[in-house]
Amino acid sequence: MFTEAPGIPYSVGNSPIAITAADLNGDGFIDIATANVGTSDVSILLNNRFEIFSPGKTVPLTIYSFPFDITSADFNCDGIPDLATANPGTDNVSVLTNNGAAQFSVTNFPVGTLCLFNGFFVIILLIRYNNPHRSDIQ
């Protein structure tokens, strides 16, 4: 039988649909980010070193972007994990560049139509084409 740990459930935006984990604030502990399709934003939950997560920040995306997937990788090669979301509502990918303290700036990249399978299945793939130390978004 499973029982909830204290502090659970954690509050995030409306309709979280995808999750990723990385050390987003540089403290050596894995944090969580969720893509929230209902509020078109990303919620950051920071690990308090005791495996209990505290609400961090909400990073707004373009209105009606409806992010359906999220991933983490070092997209700008500064040694700090960044985030990326696939947004079928605005047919773009948002790259959330991290300053190392879980503070993000958002840049949108148009990618054409992201709606696959009647608009219900969108994923981001990270592929390392020609450099083993750099991730490319597919």
Side-chain angles (χ1 to χ4, degrees):
M1 173 186 270
F2 293 99
T3 59
E4 289 184 353
I8 300 204
Y10 297 108
S11 179
V12 295
N14 290 337
S15 303
I17 195 164
I19 188 170
T20 190
D23 181 9
L24 300 174
N25 60 353
D27 64 358
F29 296 91
I30 300 300
D31 306 304
I32 296 172
T34 63
N36 307 311
V37 70
T39 46
S40 291
D41 57 24
V42 171
S43 294
I44 309 297
L45 298 171
L46 300 176
N47 187 335
N48 75 354
R49 302 176 189 205
F50 300 103
E51 298 180 6
I52 296 175
F53 294 88
S54 60
K57 298 145 189 82
T58 299
V59 182
L61 302 175
T62 304
I63 192 167
Y64 305 122
S65 59
F66 308 127
F68 261 68
D69 197 13
I70 189 168
T71 192
S72 55
D74 181 9
F75 295 115
N76 59 354
C77 298
D78 63 357
I80 301 168
D82 305 303
L83 301 172
T85 62
N87 309 316
T90 49
D91 290 328
N92 65 16
V93 169
S94 294
V95 174
L96 291 74
T97 305
N98 186 357
N99 72 356
Q103 301 282 332
F104 297 90
S105 59
V106 180
T107 305
N108 295 315
F109 297 94
V111 293
T113 302
L114 285 175
C115 295
L116 306 174
F117 304 108
N118 296 320
F120 292 106
F121 185 74
V122 178
I123 60 170
I124 295 178
L125 298 176
L126 296 179
I127 298 175
R128 295 185 176 173
Y129 278 118
N130 53 4
N131 185 334
H133 306 290
R134 189 171 196 160
S135 296
D136 300 305
I137 298 174
Q138 288 293 315

